[in-house]
């Protein structure tokens, strides 16, 4: 059965980013639980910031799981990414992600590689960049396996990456990997921009889809845009998806209302 989750960001630089709750993890967990979410997804500035949180207690107190942990702070805070032409900067990017994997693993929470994948450019051509990215996915995927979790790779829209922008390209990126421990994140916002059909994109991802960012066409809470969720839910059922549908959306009109709207739409899409 598909489970519900909602994002909490404690990254100052991402204050205007598409996260439902910001700054206060305790308040985010309290509201998530009140509204009936199964889990939260955490976007934190560093591995140390995760381990410093009273997460075990907060999750237990509110009966929540940790769905996933984001790694994008490596990019927004330090400008790191996995396709940097400079090998020492690639290593730093990889180390940052390794730290987040290790901070999430005790909670069974996989790390997400989104913006940390980077882009190819005039210095690093596409094949070279894809090679760098695959090298890191192999190492980090195996590391996640050694800690009992998966690694999540997220195709992004064309304005955020030029590596893999569709589920089909995501599958092609994973195909030559030596690790089988990397799954795809289907973010409905990115898919709405890049896929000819979101439902067909989910079918392209098939068994590789391991996480979903549940959001509307305008990156607001599900139910506040023009996304047609019925064919999306049908495609997720068809591919046997039973992971999280996690709200990664702007806190519009405010965090609580965005979360409330999300769970209302979640129930009508996945529980009726
Ligand atoms: C970025 O656009 C995004 O969707 C995030 O999940 C990536 O970290
Ligand atoms: Mn996303």
């Amino acid at each position: 059965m598909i489970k519900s989750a909602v994002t909490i960001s404690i990254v100052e630089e991402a204050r205007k980013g598409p996260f439902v709750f910001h700054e206060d993890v305790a308040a985010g967990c309290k509201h998530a639980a009140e509204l009936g979410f199964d889990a939260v997804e955490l976007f934190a500035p560093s591995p140390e910031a995760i381990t410093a949180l009273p997460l075990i207690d907060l999750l237990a107190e509110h009966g929540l799981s940790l769905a996933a942990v984001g790694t994008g702070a490596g990019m927004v805070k330090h400008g790191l990414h996995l396709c940097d032409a400079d090998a020492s900067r690639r290593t730093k990017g990889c180390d940052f992600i390794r730290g987040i994997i290790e901070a999430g693993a005790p909670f069974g929470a996989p790390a997400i590689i989104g913006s940390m994948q980077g882009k190819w450019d005039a210095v690093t051509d596409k094949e070279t960049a894809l090679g760098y990215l695959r090298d890191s996915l192999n190492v980090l995927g195996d590391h996640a396996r050694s800690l009992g979790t998966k690694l999540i790779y997220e195709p992004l829209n064309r304005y955020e990456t030029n590596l893999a922008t569709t589920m089909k390209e995501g599958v092609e990126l994973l195909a030559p990997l030596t690790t089988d421990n990397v799954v795809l994140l289907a973010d409905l916002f990115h898919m709405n921009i890049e896929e000819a059909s979101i439902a067909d994109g989910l079918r392209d991802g098939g068994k590789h889809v391991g996480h979903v960012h549940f959001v509307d066409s305008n990156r607001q809470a599900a139910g506040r845009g023009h996304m047609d969720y019925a064919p999306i839910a049908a495609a997720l059922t068809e591919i046997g998806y039973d992971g999280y549908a996690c709200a990664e959306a702007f806190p519009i009109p405010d965090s609580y209302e965005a979360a409330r709207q999300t769970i209302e739409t979640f129930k009508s899409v996945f529980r009726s």
Side-chain angles (χ1 to χ4, degrees):
M1 191 163 68
I2 294 176
K3 296 158 284 181
S4 60
V6 60
T7 45
I8 305 175
S9 169
I10 51 169
V11 179
E12 212 182 307
E13 292 83 348
R15 187 64 193 84
K16 298 210 179 315
F19 304 101
V20 175
F21 292 109
H22 288 261
E23 284 168 26
D24 188 339
V25 178
C29 286
K30 180 172 174 288
H31 290 143
E34 269 170 24
L35 288 163
F37 282 91
D38 298 306
V40 294
E41 180 182 307
L42 185 61
F43 189 64
S46 64
E48 296 74 23
I50 299 175
T51 39
L53 288 167
L55 256 189
I56 297 181
D57 294 343
L58 280 175
L59 296 173
E61 180 187 344
H62 295 294
L64 293 166
S65 299
L66 189 62
V69 281
T71 65
M75 166 65 98
V76 301
K77 286 187 79 70
H78 309 292
L80 297 169
H81 62 89
L82 298 177
C83 293
D84 201 301
D86 179 336
S88 73
R89 305 256 323 146
R90 288 201 301 281
T91 303
K92 280 197 178 119
C94 215
D95 289 346
F96 185 90
I97 295 168
R98 187 181 286 108
I100 299 279
I101 290 171
E102 289 168 3
F107 301 94
I112 298 169
I113 298 183
S115 57
M116 280 295 279
Q117 67 191 271
K119 296 177 183 176
W120 63 269
D121 57 23
V123 181
T124 309
D125 64 37
K126 186 170 186 180
E127 281 317 303
T128 307
L130 286 172
Y132 289 158
L133 178 58
R134 286 190 178 112
D135 288 348
S136 290
L137 291 177
N138 278 327
V139 171
L140 295 168
D142 283 343
H143 189 56
R145 177 184 291 292
S146 77
L147 298 172
T149 60
K150 298 260 179 206
L151 181 66
I152 302 174
Y153 169 77
E154 180 174 22
L156 302 174
N157 73 68
R158 67 191 67 188
Y159 306 107
E160 298 185 39
T161 192
N162 50 17
L163 294 167
T165 56
T166 60
M167 287 297 117
K168 184 168 177 286
E169 287 173 358
V171 171
E172 285 164 6
L173 177 73
L174 302 190
L177 295 184
T178 54
T179 181
D180 63 353
N181 201 40
V182 185
V183 295
L184 295 178
L185 199 170
D187 181 322
L188 303 183
F189 167 75
H190 299 303
M191 294 180 77
N192 183 55
I193 296 171
E194 298 297 343
E195 305 281 356
S197 148
I198 298 179
D200 285 346
L202 291 167
R203 289 184 193 100
D204 290 343
K207 66 179 188 328
H208 299 284
V209 177
H211 199 66
V212 169
H213 278 160
F214 182 62
V215 58
D216 220 310
S217 50
N218 49 7
R219 220 172 199 184
Q220 293 188 32
R224 292 182 60 87
H226 57 74
M227 192 79 81
D228 182 4
Y229 289 103
I232 291 171
L236 287 170
T237 302
E238 209 179 294
I239 65 173
Y241 180 72
D242 67 353
Y244 288 101
C246 179
E248 187 186 63
F250 288 112
I252 296 174
D254 57 52
S255 295
Y256 192 86
E257 179 54 22
R260 195 207 57 72
Q261 176 72 66
T262 295
I263 202 73
E264 185 182 311
T265 305
F266 175 91
K267 284 182 185 156
S268 78
V269 171
F270 296 116
R271 297 286 187 269
S272 61

